[in-house]
Amino acid sequence: MTVTRSSETWAQTVERARAAFLGMAVGDALGATTEFMTPTEIRFKYGVHKKIIGGGWLYLKPGQVTDDTQMSLCIARAIRECGGWDLTAIAHHFVAWMKSRPVDIGATCARGIREFMHTGRLEMPPNAWDAGNGAVMRMVPVALATLGDEACLARWAAEQAHLTHNHPMSDAACVTVGRMVHQALCGGAVAALQTLAGELVRDYPEFRYRPYLGNSSAYVVDTLQTVFHHFFSTGTFADCLIGVVNQGGDADTTGAIAGMIAGAFYGIDGIPRRWLKRLDPKVRTEITELADYLVNAAPLVVQGRIRPAPAP
Ligand code: MN
Ligand code: MN
């Protein structure tokens, strides 16, 4: 499916790119509070959770982000440093991040990064247990940098995913989320995004999200069902994100993925100011710069004016 260009200007697309990346971080920071809680526990403790207050099982500061945002930043920084796609550079950024003793790191991600450290391997072997959401949560820089080139999106999505997760459903979810961000960046209508979600369900019926069963675990199927259900049943960024994070489970990651799609779709003015202001200012500044770089570099990459680095 090709990206439908509306009459949006490039400036609007750049603004949506910022909103996608910032929306992802906002979802991470908001959802981290309710990660691993049940909806009932959340209701009992917070009523409706809708403030970036930190805490949670990681005892975060308000506005602090977790691995979802940090791994996305690793990919974005590597693309900028290389002026293109260099999987080895991304892997080195993951290693440096893991050595920095991050507040949280998923078991599958840690295993993949260790594998690279010890063997230099850039691809984990296929594994039936790798259908977690850890590769999807870091898709926003890939989507921004490949805007306008669906084939490139599919290739880079799978390559970055396989550093840690190698499973066809994780791959399919990465590509679908990337395509949805592409559509939204170009001002695509909700129907276009629904079509993309529908294509994923057609290929992998497990992802069917109607009726929504309420599972929001780190299993990529549960994760995307949660994101799709709340994105398609709400009309604002805030309602979508509040719905997602009050579902609990892997709430920071469902929040991050919903935030990248809803951010691109509703734009920067759609993200509540109070949430953007709460976000760790260093993260907010770096994300804004990187989002601008990535989306502006994208057409150059596509035109071959910036060539992806040669394979190692
Ligand atoms: Mn996280
Ligand atoms: Mn998580």
Side-chain angles (χ1 to χ4, degrees), residues 10 24 60 143 151 204 229 271 310:
W10 182 247
M24 187 275 304
L60 300 172
Y204 296 94
H229 167 73
I271 305 178

Side-chain angles (χ1 to χ4, degrees), residues 88-122:
T88 306
I90 293 171
H92 281 300
H93 273 272
F94 284 174
V95 169
W97 167 72
M98 188 163 83
K99 287 182 173 168
S100 77
R101 295 161 142 275
V103 64
D104 186 24
I105 181 166
T108 310
C109 288
R111 195 185 55 188
I113 297 167
R114 273 196 302 269
E115 176 75 13
F116 170 75
M117 281 170 66
H118 296 140
T119 68
R121 268 184 89 141
L122 292 167

Side-chain angles (χ1 to χ4, degrees), residues 9-275:
T9 64
W10 182 247
Q12 284 171 299
T13 297
V14 172
E15 197 212 86
R16 286 180 186 276
R18 284 184 194 174
F21 214 146
L22 287 168
M24 187 275 304
V26 160
D28 181 8
L30 182 70
T33 305
T34 53
E35 190 180 18
F36 300 135
M37 293 174 77
T38 66
T40 310
E41 286 166 351
I42 296 167
R43 219 173 301 126
F44 184 74
K45 192 160 179 196
Y46 299 107
V48 177
H49 171 56
K50 54 182 172 184
K51 288 189 182 146
I52 297 184
I53 52 170
W57 73 285
L58 295 169
Y59 298 98
L60 300 172
K61 296 193 230 38
Q64 193 178 347
V65 296
T66 74
D67 51 342
D68 311 62
T69 303
Q70 289 165 344
M71 294 192 88
S72 302
L73 283 168
C74 284
I75 295 179
R77 289 173 188 144
I79 294 174
R80 181 165 60 180
E81 278 167 23
C82 302
W85 188 251
D86 183 332
L87 205 54
T88 306
I90 293 171
H92 281 300
H93 273 272
F94 284 174
V95 169
W97 167 72
M98 188 163 83
K99 287 182 173 168
S100 77
R101 295 161 142 275
V103 64
D104 186 24
I105 181 166
T108 310
C109 288
R111 195 185 55 188
I113 297 167
R114 273 196 302 269
E115 176 75 13
F116 170 75
M117 281 170 66
H118 296 140
T119 68
R121 268 184 89 141
L122 292 167
E123 183 171 28
M124 292 298 278
N127 185 330
W129 305 102
D130 285 356
N133 57 20
V136 188
M137 71 186 190
R138 49 186 200 235
M139 271 301 295
V140 73
V142 178
L144 301 193
T146 59
L147 182 62
D149 190 333
E150 298 295 289
C152 192
L153 167 71
R155 209 163 55 240
W156 293 6
E159 284 183 13
Q160 72 82 14
H162 294 180
L163 286 170
T164 55
H165 294 65
N166 192 346
H167 191 283
M169 290 210 290
S170 162
D171 290 358
C174 285
V175 172
T176 297
V177 167
R179 284 184 181 157
M180 289 172 80
V181 171
H182 277 185
Q183 277 290 356
L185 288 176
C186 297
V190 72
L193 274 67
Q194 241 149 3
T195 301
L196 292 166
E199 286 172 3
L200 178 66
V201 173
R202 183 200 60 204
D203 294 345
Y204 296 94
E206 295 91 332
F207 284 99
R208 207 163 68 97
Y209 56 98
R210 287 192 184 114
Y212 176 57
L213 301 178
N215 300 322
S216 54
S217 78
Y219 176 40
V220 71
V221 168
D222 290 350
T223 299
L224 284 208
Q225 284 172 343
T226 300
V227 169
F228 291 165
H229 167 73
H230 288 287
F231 179 74
F232 291 124
S233 64
T234 54
T236 65
F237 181 93
D239 286 345
C240 171
L241 271 285
I242 289 168
V244 163
V245 301
N246 282 277
Q247 210 69 54
D250 196 4
D252 63 326
T253 305
T254 52
I257 298 168
M260 72 179 86
I261 299 170
F265 186 76
Y266 293 108
I268 204 78
D269 295 332
I271 305 178
R273 277 273 184 78
R274 61 186 186 278
W275 288 351

